[in-house]
Amino acid sequence: MSDTATEGAARPDRLPGASAPADASVLAGIWAEVLGVGHVGPDDDFFSLGGDSLLAVQVIGAANERGLRLTLLDLFKNPTPRGACAGAAPAGAAEEEGPGDALLSAADQALVPESAEAVHPATRLQLGLIYESLLSGGDLYMDAVSRTVTLPLDVPVLRQAVDRLARRHPVLRSRFDLTTFSEAVQVVERDVTVPLDVDGSVGDEATAAERYEKTMQELLTPFDPERAPLWRVHAAAAGDSAFRLSYSFHHAALDGWSESVLGSELIRTYAALLRGEPLELPEPAPAEEYVRLERAALRDEASPRYFASLDTGTGAVLPERGDGSGDPYRKTSAVIPAADAERIHRLGAEWGLPVKSLLLAANCTAQAALAEGTSVTVGLTVSGRPERVGSEVTLGLFLNTLPLRLDVAGVSWHTAARRAFEAENALLAHRRFPDAEVRALLGGTPFTTVFNYVHFHARDRLLDTGLVTADEDLRDRSSFPVRVEVINDPRGRGHVLEVTADEAKYGEGTAEKLLRYVLSALRLMAAGPEEPALAGLQTA
């Protein structure tokens, strides 16, 4: 069974001195492969074809391998093969920082323990999560996920699959060292035994539910970030032909996309080992590349100027009406009606906009209406994954949450969505500038609510295999007081809207009220895209 390997269909290489039309043809072929569509023309729109930011990372990595020097900004600003190639950097343009540059000083290299396979600096993003987690007593940034696997439970085989994944991905053997070196570092140990607990008993439904809840609570026991590994696994039999696979992890080690890749690879590896079949997995890119990218972002003088210019303090905020007695992690969810979701996707394709922009506009308009204002500043969760082949299967933390200001006064839903897209485009150039630096620059967190849109393609592909059921239990806690998340789950429940609110601060019912407002905004956008956005929502 091979742990590495696989490329898709062969792509035409770019010839030295190739013309822009030839480049566009190469890029169109890459889009067709990554997006899974039959044909892409030179003027077809990336977003109309179903593209998103994570698929864009794959496109850019493959394009760079073919000699096309594209960036995420090139693709978002010019989302056609012809346009992206026309706006791309010239071939041979230098990287911001070479992959061979030393990340540790000579003095720090001398401190690397013999047990370590590698040591590199921790990112500011990781340190921020570790700091807030430690302040909370380990309560924050602990994530747990559970899925039902439609295969019999074979504990030795599961042990083998867990060990194989730990060998494949360095972060699964990692810990943080906050004091030994001149700076905080991530230490990749050579040999780590991942905790694997098993419950082989099968009882009645009530007993099983009680045991399951106890398991999830135990999985969420805080990690010591200075001890490896930062994930643990549990399996519980669910009859002769299925079992419940659950695991937890520290969010400083894995982001949501990484978790979806981990879950998919773990279950597929288990199935292949159980059946005695080979499994080929693409080679992940080095996770430490993000350290270089973040350092380059910190050196960029344009980022502080950009965030200082946002005028984030003038946006409306949700009123704080809580008396301290509500649930600080009140979570509510609803499935966006299928007709509304389908219409939103069609509008995005017609307008040449990512679906995320329409959802972001609906969220911002809902919050403006609730706060009785016309503009809002929200925290937008963005990905800073390196734009290279294999990055989409690299496990680690690559997410950042940065301020985005949107004015929805007197505009239609169409214009609000266009403004959301333009605001995110402006933010993308600074997506790797650490949120902690933004807070320091602006004297605090410039937003109270966070918006995130996710579509985990690895989960889609896993569901297509039939190795898991569509049910999924994901539990997480962050330091943000209000979070709005839209989960695109086409193989499962559809489009799920989740709102989490600190009702001790904002008052009981805040989560449900914001959920209703966002659902109303999406319904109104779907029904009348050229109608006034904010005014229509206020009178709905």
Side-chain angles (χ1 to χ4, degrees):
M1 175 175 168
S2 172
D3 280 327
T4 61
T6 100
E7 295 293 333
R11 306 186 192 104
D13 284 328
R14 182 191 186 196
L15 298 174
S19 64
D23 291 347
S25 177
V26 171
L27 186 57
I30 294 171
W31 286 22
E33 181 182 334
V34 172
L35 297 176
V37 296
H39 173 74
V40 176
D43 297 308
D44 285 345
D45 186 275
F46 181 73
F47 303 112
S48 298
L49 294 172
D52 58 35
S53 58
L54 268 303
L55 292 175
V57 168
Q58 298 180 49
V59 164
I60 292 163
N64 289 343
E65 274 206 334
R66 302 279 79 79
L68 300 178
R69 292 283 301 134
L70 292 180
T71 69
L72 196 64
L73 285 174
D74 294 331
L75 187 51
F76 270 64
K77 290 181 178 179
N78 306 284
T80 67
R82 194 192 310 273
C85 288
E95 297 285 347
E96 289 178 315
E97 194 164 341
D101 295 339
L103 291 173
L104 290 181
S105 67
D108 279 346
Q109 289 174 8
L111 298 174
V112 173
E114 292 184 0
S115 65
E117 175 182 288
V119 175
H120 57 80
T123 66
R124 300 288 183 90
L125 297 178
Q126 291 173 321
L127 292 179
L129 267 59
I130 291 171
Y131 174 74
E132 293 184 1
S133 176
L134 291 173
L135 280 183
S136 72
D139 186 50
L140 293 179
Y141 298 110
M142 280 289 302
D143 291 28
V145 63
S146 184
R147 300 181 179 93
T148 299
V149 180
T150 58
L151 293 170
L153 175 58
D154 185 316
V155 178
V157 173
L158 181 58
R159 174 80 265 175
Q160 188 179 354
V162 169
D163 292 344
R164 186 161 293 193
L165 262 291
R167 289 196 302 272
R168 170 172 160 80
H169 294 288
V171 74
L172 301 181
R173 292 176 277 116
S174 290
R175 62 181 174 88
F176 294 92
D177 189 320
L178 306 177
T179 58
T180 302
F181 298 76
S182 64
E183 59 183 322
V185 299
Q186 181 174 324
V187 179
V188 181
E189 298 288 1
R190 288 192 178 89
D191 298 306
V192 166
T193 299
V194 179
L196 171 59
D197 293 327
V198 178
D199 180 359
S201 60
V202 180
D204 58 66
E205 187 174 337
T207 303
E210 183 178 339
R211 287 203 312 270
Y212 171 72
E213 192 58 37
K214 181 181 179 182
T215 294
M216 293 299 280
Q217 293 304 316
E218 290 173 347
L219 283 172
L220 287 169
T221 301
F223 288 103
D224 177 352
E226 295 197 272
R227 296 184 62 183
L230 295 175
W231 68 304
R232 56 177 76 103
V233 185
H234 185 277
D240 295 332
S241 58
F243 68 96
R244 193 82 187 180
L245 177 66
S246 310
Y247 50 86
S248 61
F249 56 93
H250 199 300
H251 201 16
L254 299 172
D255 58 26
W257 179 273
S258 296
E259 184 284 313
S260 72
V261 173
L262 169 62
S264 175
E265 290 192 357
L266 178 57
I267 293 166
R268 290 168 58 211
T269 299
Y270 174 78
L273 289 169
L274 190 68
R275 297 165 175 169
E277 299 173 350
L279 175 66
E280 295 183 330
L281 297 173
E283 187 70 22
E288 60 268 25
E289 180 65 20
Y290 189 80
V291 179
R292 297 185 175 90
L293 294 170
E294 188 185 68
R295 287 181 170 184
L298 286 165
R299 294 194 301 268
D300 185 0
E301 297 178 356
S303 291
R305 292 197 300 270
Y306 169 78
F307 289 111
S309 71
L310 282 181
D311 196 22
T312 57
T314 61
V317 296
L318 296 180
E320 297 182 16
R321 295 170 177 165
D323 59 7
S325 63
D327 183 352
Y329 300 106
R330 170 62 177 157
K331 186 174 184 177
T332 186
S333 65
V335 176
I336 298 171
D340 291 345
E342 290 169 6
R343 176 62 171 154
I344 294 297
H345 274 268
R346 287 200 301 272
L347 288 173
E350 291 172 11
W351 297 340
L353 295 177
V355 170
K356 178 181 178 181
S357 297
L358 281 68
L359 298 169
L360 174 60
N363 168 71
C364 290
T365 305
Q367 293 192 33
L370 266 176
E372 299 179 351
T374 58
S375 67
V376 294
T377 299
V378 300
L380 183 66
T381 301
V382 295
S383 173
R385 279 181 181 267
E387 296 154 7
R388 55 183 296 179
V389 169
S391 178
E392 74 278 4
V393 294
T394 299
L395 303 191
L397 174 68
F398 306 102
L399 293 183
N400 202 4
T401 303
L402 297 170
L404 178 144
R405 188 174 184 276
L406 189 65
D407 188 345
V408 294
V411 300
S412 67
W413 292 108
H414 185 175
T415 301
R418 178 67 61 183
R419 287 185 178 181
F421 177 66
E422 292 169 351
E424 183 176 4
N425 265 1
L427 183 64
L428 284 178
H430 314 285
R431 64 193 179 280
R432 298 184 179 113
F433 192 75
D435 66 325
E437 297 297 319
V438 176
R439 292 198 300 268
L441 178 71
L442 300 181
T445 304
F447 49 82
T448 58
T449 65
V450 169
F451 176 80
N452 189 25
Y453 170 73
V454 296
H455 182 182
F456 296 139
H457 302 283
R459 169 175 157 79
D460 292 349
R461 292 190 289 271
L462 181 63
L463 285 169
D464 287 341
T465 68
L467 294 174
V468 294
T469 61
D471 66 301
E472 179 179 275
D473 183 6
L474 173 63
R475 305 185 186 186
D476 65 327
R477 288 181 175 179
S478 79
S479 61
F480 299 117
V482 181
R483 288 186 295 155
V484 177
E485 187 165 62
V486 178
I487 304 162
N488 186 350
D489 184 19
R491 309 295 196 279
R493 292 190 292 166
H495 290 72
V496 181
L497 173 65
E498 292 185 348
V499 177
T500 305
D502 180 354
E503 296 196 342
K505 183 176 183 179
Y506 292 99
E508 292 187 11
T510 296
E512 285 82 357
K513 190 171 185 179
L514 180 53
L515 183 87
R516 292 196 307 271
Y517 266 65
V518 176
L519 288 172
S520 295
L522 292 170
R523 185 183 69 249
L524 291 169
M525 180 186 292
E530 302 300 337
E531 295 297 317
L534 183 58
L537 186 58
Q538 288 170 331
T539 58

